[in-house]
Amino acid sequence: DVTSEVASGSLYFVQTVLRATLGANIGIESTSTGYVADALTYLFQTRMFNFSDSSSLIYADNITSTLGLTSAAQLYSAFDGVGYALLTGDVDMYSYRTAASTALSSLTLDLSAGGSTDTVTSIEVNASVADFNTVTGASVASSDLLDIKVATLATNIYGAVLTGTAGSADATASRLDQIGSAQSGTTLLRSDITLVEVSLQDSHEALEVIGLPTGAIKVTLAATVGFNTNYSAFDRTFGCATDGVSIDLNCPLTADTHTCDHATYG
């Protein structure tokens, strides 16, 4: 059994190698990226991600940092329009380099472009370079290159966030369409953990993008838990004995009520 200390040390070693690689102005090829993905997949199964321990969130941040380093190493010295995939174990990632004018105004990037069997997960961007610079604090010209990555993780490395949510309004609403015992539990995620990041050329640090106009970015997620589209799953049955009586519909997220009115509703 691998302890959290050993696992976190292993993750630190992977990051150290990747940082040294970038520091030496060296990229990595598909074999090396496969080793990184295999290492992460093994680490996902260790005590690092014991979700009763909030420290697992620190390890989760280190995982995303490792993916950022890997993506930067893959794209090192790449030309405009070049992309690389990392498809191993629990990790699917596609990293793509393109000019800011394309990345921000007309980009559609599918995870499957890198060979993933996930044909649903994708991003669409429709913004301006000016808006991008405003919200990120960057000074990107239209011809400058940006690095964009989309990734999914089959393991929920942020599971600690959901610990203790069972019985909450959010958890109840997320499971309202489920059947039997599946109606109980922590907040239900409907897709793999999905990461979308943009960084400056050859940088492993993702830019913070907050405040773009509505609709500037669209992320399509691949559902891993089906939705119950049967109307009866959401039906509410009740009786009205007296006009004017307000009946609570027991909606999980809102305080919706129905006011009895025989003349209107019969």
Side-chain angles (χ1 to χ4, degrees):
D1 191 15
V2 179
T3 65
S4 295
E5 290 75 16
V6 171
S8 61
S10 300
L11 181 56
Y12 179 75
F13 173 75
V14 172
Q15 287 185 322
T16 299
V17 172
L18 289 170
R19 291 182 190 279
T21 299
L22 289 171
N25 298 322
I26 300 173
I28 58 176
E29 58 183 16
S30 59
T31 300
S32 299
T33 57
Y35 291 149
V36 173
D38 284 342
L40 294 181
T41 297
Y42 291 135
L43 290 173
F44 290 158
Q45 312 307 318
T46 68
R47 294 182 184 179
M48 278 205 309
F49 296 104
N50 174 358
F51 298 138
S52 62
D53 184 357
S54 60
S55 64
S56 67
L57 296 177
I58 298 174
Y59 300 138
D61 285 343
N62 287 333
I63 291 290
T64 57
S65 295
T66 301
L67 291 176
L69 288 164
T70 305
S71 175
Q74 285 181 295
L75 289 173
Y76 182 77
S77 295
F79 295 105
D80 181 6
V82 172
Y84 293 99
L86 188 160
L87 308 171
T88 307
D90 281 4
V91 183
D92 272 14
M93 182 170 73
Y94 185 59
S95 303
Y96 185 73
R97 173 168 291 174
T98 189
S101 57
T102 300
L104 299 173
S105 63
S106 59
L107 178 70
T108 296
L109 190 64
D110 300 321
L111 184 59
S112 60
S116 171
T117 57
D118 178 350
T119 59
V120 176
T121 300
S122 67
I123 61 172
E124 296 177 37
V125 185
N126 184 14
S128 70
V129 174
D131 285 340
F132 179 80
N133 285 335
T134 298
V135 301
T136 63
S139 299
V140 175
S142 296
S143 59
D144 289 343
L145 298 178
L146 293 176
D147 295 342
I148 301 175
K149 73 169 179 287
V150 56
T152 59
L153 307 179
T155 296
N156 179 12
I157 60 176
Y158 294 102
V161 174
L162 303 181
T163 299
T165 61
S168 67
D170 285 343
T172 301
S174 72
R175 295 177 175 274
L176 195 60
D177 68 325
Q178 299 300 291
I179 299 174
S181 60
Q183 288 188 326
S184 301
T186 58
T187 302
L188 179 64
L189 298 185
R190 301 279 181 158
S191 71
D192 287 340
I193 295 297
T194 303
L195 308 175
V196 177
E197 293 184 344
V198 59
S199 59
L200 302 178
Q201 179 182 356
D202 289 333
S203 173
H204 66 275
E205 297 287 350
L207 294 170
E208 185 173 315
V209 183
I210 298 177
L212 284 176
T214 301
I217 299 178
K218 174 184 175 182
V219 181
T220 302
L221 307 178
T224 54
V225 177
F227 288 86
N228 186 346
T229 58
N230 187 328
Y231 177 81
S232 63
F234 307 95
D235 193 18
R236 295 289 186 270
T237 302
F238 55 89
C240 278
T242 306
D243 277 358
V245 172
S246 179
I247 297 178
D248 187 351
L249 298 182
N250 296 316
C251 294
L253 294 179
T254 62
D256 289 346
T257 61
H258 172 79
T259 300
C260 295
D261 184 339
H262 181 76
T264 301
Y265 301 108

